[in-house]
Amino acid sequence: MSHETILQLSVVVYLLPLLGFVILIFFNKRLPRQGDLIETAIVFLGLILSGVIFAVKMGSYHDETIQATFTWVNFGNVPGVGPMVMSLGIMIDNLAATMLLVVYIVSAFVHLFSIGYMQGDVRYGRYFAFLGVFTFSMLGIVLTNNFFMMYVAWELVGLSSYLLIGHWFEKKSASDAAKKAFIVNRVGDIGMFTGIMILFATFHTFTFETIFESMKAGVIPFGSEAWLTAAGILIFCGAVGKSAQFPLHVWLPDAMEGPTPVSALIHAATMVAAGVYLIARTFPMMTADALMVIAVIGAITAFIAATIAIAQNDIKKVLAYSTISQLGYMVMGLGVGAFTAGFFHLTTHAMFKAGLFLGSGSVIHAMHHALHHSGDHKTDPQDIRNMGGLKSKMPLTFWTFVMFTLAISGVPFTSGFLSKDEILAGTLAYANLTGRWYIPIVAFFVAGLTAFYMFRVVILTFLGDHKDHHRYDAIHESPKTMTIPLIVFAILSFFAFFSLNPFSAASGWVYSALPRPESVVPASVAAAGIEEFEASVHHTHTLAMVLSLAVAGLGIFLAFMTYYWKKIDADRVAAGTGPLYRFLLNKWKFDELYDATAVAGTVGMAKMWRWFDNRIIDGIVNGVGSWTKGLTLGTKRNWVENSISAIFYMIVTAGISLYVGWVVGYGLMPAEAALGALVGYVILGFAVAGFTFFLFYVGVGGFDNSIVDGLVNATAYLAGFLGLLTRRLQTGKVQTYLAFVILGVMILFLWFR
């Protein structure tokens, strides 16, 4: 297969989910089963083709980067800048090929799972359409070769996630969660956009390869290493938002308000993984200081999220904070320089975390059915304290869930053991080279907490006795459309798919396919060399593995001691650590903190500007308008409507005319002609008064009626016409709006092309 064929196939793979979206968003009501099978079939076709791309790339073009670029906008020779060209393109390297396959695997089986889970939903077809556009947006991030296309796709991911999280928008909690996710992500995106613009201002291009080659040649933003570090950190801000890193992690737990398959899609290999992929893609331009910031943020995130997870009782909330913690692991791994380990953990985590969310969805689906059967509408189907004993009722869900839990806990013979140990070894190597030992201490502590809270979920959900025997009798295993994805992800959580050596990933395909890229930044601000770092990792790997097993085993043991054997009273521990427990239960009070600062500050500023607009701006405008109206329309209206005012005006005018005529007559004419002058000037005065009256009331009034009122009325008519037209377009159907958006994008693209 040639380069051209691979690129053409990549374009097809990229556009397939968009095709499914267009079909379903416009025609879902006219299609059998609202088009769910069509969308699912399209995504599975994309999965097959992405598998072909992955196999060919890794086999025939292992060390090559395949890409195609074309000029979109040529600005020509810009004064003071030089030639400026905006290019678009697709790039397939090992990083993109791997991520492409991971995204499609998760997306395809989430589609399949959704057929059973979402059956009967009022917006069933639209749900699958939004799954398609989400997948398309994520693929745009993966396949692009430039920052411009990445940023566009980045924002499309944010938009589509907003639509999916808020799928049940009639619930206030769901609509609030969608808005929160959208707004919080925009905060990080501002930083990312600023970082991209710093690079564009220097290199006059968005293309990764061109920017990195220029850096290698010694060109850096504004000739300053500080600006280079700033650009890297600002771009990382985008990852802080998308990958829910501290302090922008608060949106992810609330996103659980969306359907459970959406949680699996967002929290496994797609949206949250986009941030990690961004760091990996821009890794060569990161300075040592930028990587240090990334490592510290990742460590803080992993620690905070893990401590919160141990106190949560909602099964999806536990998994949400687990996701945040594991993302912190990935970011920390990339920050310490363990590039391959960090991205490797993204790959393995995608499989077992998607399985965990789908497994929780299977449990919630069964609990919903049982509660509905018993007429219980008060019990929370997601609270693990209301579960227990589901092992015998849901054996497939139980055993697959156990497999996923073993993987995330880092137990041998699972994929999670391979990837997590490599990150832990990287943190030890980083500490050896830099002296920052707090990084590995946090990493190992979090590993122990992860094993503890995940086995807590397993024990309280599946083991022991169920709380209600009547409800227990109505619980049953989920349908095959839901259990098949669980089996697939459980198989993919086995070590053999990544390395034939169950205790080391170094000999597996991941490490050969994704070596740490060389830095392109000046040596003065570069991180430790590849050889030096990898040598340190090699020496610390065994120690990392032993310590990892020790802390994981301790966490599992404490979970069984507390929740299965009941040797430790969890309620007594919670009561004894009252303030700390409530602090963790309330998620470190981050939401309250942001409500008191960012939210209150924004609302206060909005109120201030509203007051300024109403009192100052509107006051000035309304005052000028009232004054003008008093001089023209008001006076004219009084003349027409009030005859007394008219008579009074005429009397005053006549008096002034007589006085003026008398003064002028006596001042300018001889005495003998005084009487004649007086009469003449009185007549002249009356003529002037009449003419003035005519001009003022008839002329101004006519101008007002004909010109001013004409313009106002014409403007009002035009506004009314446009309003009526807009009203007709406001169908309330997203299909109509999307049609205009698609048309506008096509026009814009063709215009600049």
Side-chain angles (χ1 to χ4, degrees):
M1 188 178 294
S2 64
H3 285 194
E4 290 75 16
T5 304
I6 294 175
L7 289 169
Q8 292 169 358
L9 199 60
S10 300
V11 174
V12 173
V13 166
Y14 178 33
L15 296 178
L16 273 174
L18 181 62
L19 173 64
F21 163 73
V22 172
I23 293 173
L24 263 69
I25 203 68
F26 288 108
F27 308 108
N28 70 82
K29 297 294 185 182
R30 301 176 179 86
L31 296 172
R33 297 176 54 89
Q34 298 189 42
D36 61 341
L37 297 180
I38 295 175
E39 172 65 22
T40 304
I42 287 175
V43 176
F44 268 94
L45 175 61
L47 171 60
I48 295 171
L49 296 178
S50 65
V52 172
I53 294 173
F54 177 80
V56 173
K57 177 64 180 70
M58 295 301 181
S60 303
Y61 306 101
H62 188 276
D63 299 322
E64 298 182 42
T65 297
I66 304 171
Q67 62 179 321
T69 303
F70 70 93
T71 299
W72 186 42
V73 182
N74 190 343
F75 294 98
N77 195 10
V78 180
V81 176
M84 184 176 293
V85 177
M86 186 176 291
S87 300
L88 304 180
I90 286 180
M91 178 173 66
I92 303 293
D93 59 359
N94 292 351
L95 187 69
T98 304
M99 191 68 180
L100 177 67
L101 184 61
V102 170
V103 170
Y104 254 117
I105 289 174
V106 175
S107 181
F109 286 100
V110 165
H111 276 73
L112 180 61
F113 186 92
S114 297
I115 292 175
Y117 189 88
M118 298 296 293
Q119 194 68 46
D121 188 86
V122 292
R123 289 177 290 274
Y124 186 70
R126 193 164 74 171
Y127 166 82
F128 277 90
F130 289 161
L131 285 184
V133 75
F134 185 96
T135 305
F136 164 75
S137 304
M138 189 63 203
L139 293 175
I141 296 175
V142 174
L143 294 174
T144 182
N145 71 342
N146 63 88
F147 279 111
F148 177 78
M149 287 181 63
M150 174 175 277
Y151 190 77
V152 172
W154 196 268
E155 296 302 327
L156 283 176
V157 167
L159 174 62
S160 52
S161 66
Y162 166 81
L163 297 173
L164 287 171
I165 295 169
H167 177 73
W168 292 320
F169 55 81
E170 60 272 9
K171 292 170 54 182
K172 188 177 184 303
S173 57
S175 63
D176 288 347
K179 289 182 286 187
K180 186 176 182 179
F182 190 84
I183 294 171
V184 172
N185 272 276
R186 298 293 76 71
V187 175
D189 294 351
I190 291 172
M192 178 182 176
F193 179 80
T194 306
I196 293 173
M197 287 300 102
I198 290 174
L199 297 179
F200 184 74
T202 301
F203 302 103
H204 310 143
T205 181
F206 293 107
T207 306
F208 299 137
E209 186 178 36
T210 306
I211 292 174
F212 294 165
E213 289 295 327
S214 298
M215 286 186 182
K216 190 179 289 186
V219 181
I220 57 177
F222 307 114
S224 170
E225 295 175 352
W227 275 105
L228 178 59
T229 299
I233 294 174
L234 286 168
I235 289 174
F236 169 64
C237 287
V240 172
K242 280 289 189 289
S243 291
Q245 298 296 287
F246 169 84
L248 301 181
H249 64 281
V250 293
W251 70 268
L252 192 58
D254 289 5
M256 296 298 98
E257 292 293 337
T260 299
V262 171
S263 302
L265 189 64
I266 291 176
H267 294 180
T270 48
M271 182 174 176
V272 294
V276 181
Y277 181 81
L278 173 65
I279 302 171
R281 177 59 71 194
T282 57
F283 188 86
M285 60 164 284
M286 295 295 177
T287 65
D289 289 338
L291 288 175
M292 186 268 291
V293 171
I294 292 171
V296 171
I297 292 295
I300 294 173
T301 304
F303 175 77
I304 291 175
T307 57
I308 296 174
I310 63 175
Q312 301 304 305
N313 298 309
D314 186 307
I315 188 171
K316 289 179 67 175
K317 287 290 178 67
V318 176
L319 296 180
Y321 281 104
S322 169
T323 298
I324 297 173
S325 184
Q326 294 302 303
L327 288 167
Y329 249 93
M330 302 171 204
V331 171
M332 179 175 57
L334 290 167
V336 300
F339 173 88
T340 307
F343 193 83
F344 181 27
H345 196 57
L346 181 154
T347 304
T348 60
H349 176 266
M351 306 305 160
F352 58 71
K353 182 52 60 73
L356 283 169
F357 270 109
L358 296 183
S360 71
S362 178
V363 170
I364 294 169
H365 181 268
M367 288 289 294
H368 265 297
H369 175 79
L371 290 170
H372 179 75
H373 185 267
S374 61
D376 185 354
H377 302 293
K378 295 182 179 179
T379 302
D380 186 357
Q382 298 184 188
D383 195 324
I384 55 179
R385 296 170 297 182
N386 298 327
M387 303 176 187
L390 300 186
K391 174 186 175 182
S392 58
K393 289 287 188 175
M394 308 178 72
L396 262 176
T397 301
F398 166 71
W399 287 112
T400 54
F401 203 95
V402 168
M403 181 63 182
F404 305 138
T405 304
L406 292 171
I408 197 172
S409 301
V411 175
F413 304 104
T414 65
S415 60
F417 173 78
L418 292 174
S419 58
K420 183 175 286 188
D421 275 11
E422 293 296 329
I423 291 178
L424 294 173
T427 62
L428 290 175
Y430 180 76
N432 281 333
L433 295 172
T434 63
R436 299 186 177 99
W437 286 98
Y438 57 87
I439 298 290
I441 291 173
V442 170
F444 281 99
F445 180 71
V446 170
L449 286 181
T450 302
F452 173 79
Y453 67 68
M454 285 308 307
F455 271 90
R456 171 178 177 259
V457 172
V458 171
I459 295 168
L460 292 180
T461 303
F462 295 100
L463 304 180
D465 298 322
H466 197 75
K467 305 302 183 289
D468 188 308
H469 293 290
H470 297 288
R471 184 170 69 226
Y472 183 72
D473 293 336
I475 295 175
H476 57 78
E477 185 64 90
S478 299
K480 290 184 179 180
T481 55
M482 297 172 66
T483 55
I484 289 175
L486 295 178
I487 295 171
V488 171
F489 284 125
I491 294 172
L492 293 175
S493 299
F494 194 56
F495 76 93
F497 286 92
F498 306 94
S499 175
L500 295 179
N501 184 347
F503 297 101
S504 177
S507 59
W509 66 266
V510 177
Y511 269 72
S512 64
L514 302 171
R516 176 178 167 178
E518 292 186 5
S519 175
V520 297
V521 303
S524 58
V525 291
I530 297 175
E531 296 80 7
E532 187 180 6
F533 180 80
E534 289 184 350
S536 184
V537 169
H538 179 74
H539 288 112
T540 59
H541 180 266
T542 302
L543 176 62
M545 182 175 62
V546 172
L547 291 176
S548 173
L549 289 174
V551 296
L554 179 61
I556 295 170
F557 176 74
L558 288 175
F560 273 91
M561 286 286 290
T562 306
Y563 300 102
Y564 189 72
W565 297 314
K566 307 236 185 242
K567 300 298 183 181
I568 301 174
D569 192 332
D571 294 332
R572 181 177 296 180
V573 172
T577 58
L580 176 61
Y581 174 75
R582 288 191 296 272
F583 182 68
L584 299 180
L585 185 64
N586 293 322
K587 311 161 213 174
W588 283 48
K589 292 187 177 292
F590 275 105
D591 286 326
E592 290 82 356
L593 175 64
Y594 287 152
D595 284 341
T597 54
V599 175
T602 303
V603 172
M605 187 175 294
K607 289 181 178 179
M608 182 189 70
W609 282 113
R610 184 178 65 179
W611 177 89
F612 183 81
D613 179 63
N614 291 337
R615 299 300 179 91
I616 307 301
I617 303 298
D618 288 356
I620 294 173
V621 174
N622 294 335
V624 173
S626 299
W627 181 74
T628 307
K629 182 179 180 181
L631 290 177
T632 55
L633 296 178
T635 308
K636 185 187 80 172
R637 185 166 56 248
N638 290 337
W639 168 259
V640 175
E641 296 175 358
N642 194 335
S643 59
I644 297 176
S645 298
I647 294 170
F648 176 78
Y649 177 83
M650 292 187 67
I651 293 172
V652 171
T653 303
I656 294 173
S657 300
L658 287 171
Y659 179 76
V660 170
W662 183 271
V663 171
V664 173
Y666 271 107
L668 298 180
M669 297 295 177
E672 62 272 13
L675 182 60
L678 177 61
V679 173
Y681 278 102
V682 167
I683 295 171
L684 179 62
F686 270 106
V688 171
F691 185 70
T692 303
F693 178 80
F694 176 80
L695 288 178
F696 187 78
Y697 286 97
V698 180
V700 174
F703 179 82
D704 176 65
N705 289 331
S706 302
I707 307 301
V708 178
D709 288 354
L711 290 173
V712 172
N713 293 335
T715 304
Y717 177 80
L718 180 62
F721 174 76
L722 294 176
L724 181 62
L725 182 62
T726 306
R727 182 180 178 185
R728 291 175 178 175
L729 295 175
Q730 287 180 320
T731 61
K733 296 181 178 180
V734 70
Q735 297 95 321
T736 305
Y737 308 142
L738 287 170
F740 281 101
V741 170
I742 293 171
L743 180 63
V745 170
M746 292 176 62
I747 293 172
L748 182 64
F749 182 85
L750 293 173
W751 178 271
F752 283 107
R753 180 68 181 89

